[in-house]
Amino acid sequence: MAKVLIATVKPFAAEAVEQIKNVLESAGYEYEFLEKYDGEEKLKEALRDADALIVRSDKITPSVINAADNLKIIVRAGAGYDNIDLDAATKKGIVVMNTPGQNSNAVAELVLGMMVYQARNHFNGTSGRELKGKKLGIHAYGNVGKNVARIAKGFGMIVGAFDPFVEKASIEADGVKVYENVEDMYSDCDYVSLHIPATKQTIKSINYDLLSKMKDDATLVNSARKEVINEDDLLKIFEEKKGFKYISDIAPDNKEVIAEKFEGRYFFTPKKMGAQTAEANINAGIAAAKQIINFIEKGETKFKVN
Ligand code: 3PG
């Protein structure tokens, strides 16, 4: 009987856990949940007899992978798989998958929620601003970007996107303007929302060159990864543009400096909150369990990323 380890430092909602158990039990699989663990050693120990692993943002390092002698598949229940060392997995013949799209509505709702919170001065009782009529630029038009566009249009925002990897016609079909040039989007919009993955090419790519193009009172929204921001450049922009705001799902490393100097112009979630809904946990967790079953039983490798 194959065994699935579900290792989540940040646990799934209880409803999702129950549903994942049902899917695995019905297929005749063994499972173990390792939640809120601290340290790699606990993960290594639990992985010893596992054939398959489901994780969220849990760090899967070469040392973890090398300690897992039975492991055949890792599924990241979510979109970004920058937490998994793909080279180490590939070397060991382990398939890695993600579950694209399953938590994207949750992330998109948080994006708009943070935007309203910032535009209304953190609900402090003073007059804020509305989103209606403001221009929003979506940097990368994947599953989350598309959902952000849909919701933002409901608010009456004027929505554009930059994504050289997505066909222009499919973006336009959503009633979203296509920016051919990323700088044009940054200079034209009141809000820019980031949806790029963290890769060698994108880490620190949101830098002074790009941010300096933004309007003086623009807001940068980050529900992607903190690593894509060049934080030294971000500080320079905060200094130079007196109305610039930065709102992010997870704080930057230099959050103390920002908090001390730029009160009212930032908001950071205490923990990564984008995918923290029962719905997203259910969608991503069940998709991950089913992908494992289909891989072990039928060799299906849809959503393989290595
Ligand atoms: C993702 O990449 O799917 C999101 O960042 C959610 O990550 P989480 O599962 O750690 O909340």
Side-chain angles (χ1 to χ4, degrees):
M1 203 190 268
K3 178 173 168 186
V4 182
L5 176 72
I6 300 98
T8 49
V9 168
K10 191 171 59 179
F12 289 126
E15 286 167 83
V17 169
E18 280 316 302
Q19 294 194 34
I20 295 165
K21 283 182 184 170
N22 285 344
V23 169
L24 294 171
E25 260 166 34
S26 315
Y29 283 59
E30 268 184 58
Y31 54 77
E32 180 184 338
F33 281 79
L34 178 71
E35 297 179 326
K36 294 185 187 169
Y37 59 94
D38 54 354
E40 229 173 62
E41 291 313 311
K42 297 221 171 79
L43 178 57
K44 284 185 189 171
E45 179 61 38
L47 261 178
R48 211 143 279 173
D49 58 347
D51 300 277
L53 171 65
I54 295 177
V55 290
R56 296 185 66 180
S57 292
D58 306 67
K59 291 249 171 304
I60 307 301
T61 62
S63 149
V64 170
I65 286 169
N66 290 328
D69 285 336
N70 284 332
L71 199 62
K72 296 153 191 77
I73 176 168
I74 302 171
V75 183
R76 194 290 191 230
Y81 44 87
D82 47 303
N83 52 317
I84 301 172
D85 194 300
L86 293 189
D87 287 342
T90 306
K91 265 191 214 132
K92 235 178 157 223
I94 297 169
V95 166
V96 181
M97 295 184 191
N98 65 349
T99 64
Q102 300 293 347
N103 59 17
S104 47
N105 181 66
V107 179
E109 286 190 11
L110 184 77
V111 166
L112 273 294
M114 292 196 301
M115 284 164 62
V116 171
Y117 183 67
Q118 183 61 46
R120 294 300 186 95
N121 301 332
H122 301 187
F123 304 150
N124 70 1
T126 62
S127 284
R129 303 298 297 262
E130 297 178 21
L131 299 184
K132 186 177 177 188
K134 307 300 183 301
K135 286 188 180 175
L136 166 66
I138 298 177
H139 192 161
Y141 202 72
N143 292 308
V144 181
K146 204 173 161 70
N147 275 290
V148 168
R150 172 180 55 78
I151 303 169
K153 282 168 61 193
F155 274 89
M157 298 191 83
I158 302 156
V159 184
F162 171 79
D163 194 330
F165 303 104
V166 176
E167 270 198 28
K168 197 177 167 187
S170 82
I171 299 176
E172 286 172 343
D174 290 346
V176 172
K177 171 187 164 140
V178 171
Y179 288 94
E180 306 282 352
N181 181 308
V182 70
E183 283 89 2
D184 289 348
M185 186 175 79
Y186 276 68
S187 61
D188 195 33
C189 289
D190 304 293
Y191 291 83
V192 170
S193 186
L194 301 173
H195 301 290
I196 50 177
T199 64
K200 271 186 205 128
Q201 289 74 35
T202 64
I203 286 172
K204 290 190 195 268
S205 67
I206 308 303
N207 57 17
Y208 186 82
D209 280 353
L210 211 44
L211 296 175
S212 60
K213 304 282 184 305
M214 293 180 85
K215 294 178 181 177
D216 281 348
D217 61 350
T219 302
L220 180 68
V221 191
N222 186 3
S223 62
R225 292 289 183 269
K226 67 175 179 178
E227 290 82 2
V228 302
I229 305 279
N230 180 318
E231 293 192 5
D232 292 340
D233 290 1
L234 180 74
L235 282 183
K236 271 193 233 160
I237 296 295
F238 262 112
E239 298 279 4
E240 284 179 23
K241 297 183 188 289
K242 300 298 178 200
F244 173 83
K245 294 158 234 52
Y246 178 53
I247 54 183
S248 176
D249 182 18
I250 202 167
D253 292 336
N254 61 3
K255 73 170 180 201
E256 273 85 21
V257 185
I258 294 177
E260 193 189 309
K261 291 178 138 178
F262 308 112
E263 205 196 326
R265 293 167 57 195
Y266 69 90
F267 170 72
F268 308 131
T269 52
K271 267 195 177 177
K272 201 159 167 33
M273 287 292 298
Q276 279 297 59
T277 66
E279 293 89 340
N281 293 169
I282 291 168
N283 292 343
I286 288 185
K290 287 187 173 165
Q291 285 172 216
I292 286 169
I293 296 166
N294 288 336
F295 170 73
I296 292 181
E297 283 166 25
K298 300 185 217 151
E300 269 182 25
T301 52
K302 196 174 171 192
F303 306 123
K304 180 173 185 269
V305 295
N306 67 334

